[in-house]
Amino acid sequence: MLMHEKISQDIIREKIRKTRKLLNYTEILSKSREVEKNFYKLSELKNIKFLLIYMAGTKEVQTIKIINTCLKKNIKIYLPVVDPLKSRIFFYRVSDIGSELEKGPFGIYQPKVYEQNLLKNKNEIDLIVVPGLAFNEKGGRIGSGKGFYDKFLATVPSCKSIIALAFEYQIVDEIIFHNHDIPVHKIVTEKRIIFCRED
């Protein structure tokens, strides 16, 4: 990565983080409800059996209601577990987020690690919902900078549906793509669904 590219990514991260700090929890919940409504409009949710999603931080689009709704529909839910030593994430199935989660290394709730719940067959994945700090309308994504999701997404080329949940302020004009970057296919915000590719 060229130095000016890294600086520009860092500038975007700093700008988004500053805006994020200004959001109060009531506003986050209100906007998250609108994102949720648009999420349920996705054609990808028809006949879905396996969903990879994440537990949101306090300033992100809240995902807990989506997770619980999908569990009630008997969709198999897998959530990420962070392994900071390997700089990777691994996904584990959960059936009850009230009893099967614990705080992870970055303060985000994640599944308790039981080997029998580890995602083993990645070809079964119907849909991956990814977090991020910033996105552009072409599907470019800027994460936290640790590369956890970039490494994971590179291992699941068979998954045809990668969706991002975001607030409108997280949509930026330009994100520099690199060869290892995997774009998201759609972005769901509180105002719209952004189609990032031609189906």
Side-chain angles (χ1 to χ4, degrees), residues 137-174:
E137 293 187 0
K138 295 179 181 178
R141 173 184 168 275
I142 295 178
S144 63
K146 299 179 177 67
F148 295 139
Y149 270 88
D150 292 326
K151 291 174 185 174
F152 176 78
L153 292 174
T155 70
V156 285
S158 60
C159 183
K160 305 302 181 186
S161 297
I162 303 171
I163 307 293
L165 305 180
F167 297 124
E168 276 291 328
Y169 79 86
Q170 294 175 267
I171 309 302
V172 299
D173 292 332
E174 197 61 46

Side-chain angles (χ1 to χ4, degrees), residues 32-196:
S32 292
R33 281 194 291 270
E34 297 306 311
V35 174
E36 184 181 350
K37 290 176 185 176
N38 285 332
F39 177 77
Y40 294 135
K41 296 175 184 176
L42 291 172
S43 60
E44 288 83 354
L45 293 181
K46 294 178 181 177
N47 303 317
I48 186 174
K49 294 179 180 177
F50 293 83
L51 171 63
L52 271 60
I53 193 170
Y54 58 95
M55 287 293 291
T58 55
K59 295 291 187 177
E60 295 179 302
V61 173
Q62 297 301 290
T63 56
I64 190 167
K65 287 188 176 181
I66 290 174
I67 293 169
N68 280 327
T69 297
C70 290
L71 284 172
K72 289 176 182 176
K73 293 181 177 180
N74 295 318
I75 296 170
K76 294 179 181 178
I77 298 291
Y78 288 84
L79 299 177
V81 169
V82 175
D83 186 334
L85 295 179
K86 295 181 180 178
S87 296
R88 291 187 178 276
I89 52 175
F90 300 89
F91 283 82
Y92 288 79
R93 186 179 174 187
V94 295
S95 302
D96 179 4
I97 61 175
S99 62
E100 297 176 7
L101 303 183
E102 60 186 3
K103 274 196 175 181
F106 301 107
I108 305 295
Y109 281 94
Q110 61 183 34
K112 297 174 183 177
V113 175
Y114 298 113
E115 184 63 25
Q116 67 268 25
N117 293 333
L118 176 65
L119 174 68
K120 296 182 178 69
N121 186 359
K122 294 177 181 176
N123 291 324
E124 292 180 329
I125 302 168
D126 297 311
L127 174 62
I128 302 175
V129 178
V130 299
L133 272 176
F135 305 89
N136 72 349
E137 293 187 0
K138 295 179 181 178
R141 173 184 168 275
I142 295 178
S144 63
K146 299 179 177 67
F148 295 139
Y149 270 88
D150 292 326
K151 291 174 185 174
F152 176 78
L153 292 174
T155 70
V156 285
S158 60
C159 183
K160 305 302 181 186
S161 297
I162 303 171
I163 307 293
L165 305 180
F167 297 124
E168 276 291 328
Y169 79 86
Q170 294 175 267
I171 309 302
V172 299
D173 292 332
E174 197 61 46
I175 290 177
I176 298 167
F177 276 92
H178 301 94
N179 291 334
H180 61 272
D181 291 337
I182 298 175
V184 301
H185 302 139
K186 293 179 183 177
I187 306 167
V188 183
T189 78
E190 71 271 27
K191 293 184 178 179
R192 56 185 168 151
I193 297 173
I194 301 170
F195 293 77
C196 304

Side-chain angles (χ1 to χ4, degrees), residues 7-21:
I7 290 172
S8 66
Q9 299 255 23
D10 287 343
I11 289 173
I12 292 173
R13 283 194 182 96
E14 183 180 357
K15 179 182 177 182
I16 296 297
R17 283 173 174 149
K18 282 182 178 179
T19 303
R20 187 164 69 175
K21 285 181 180 179

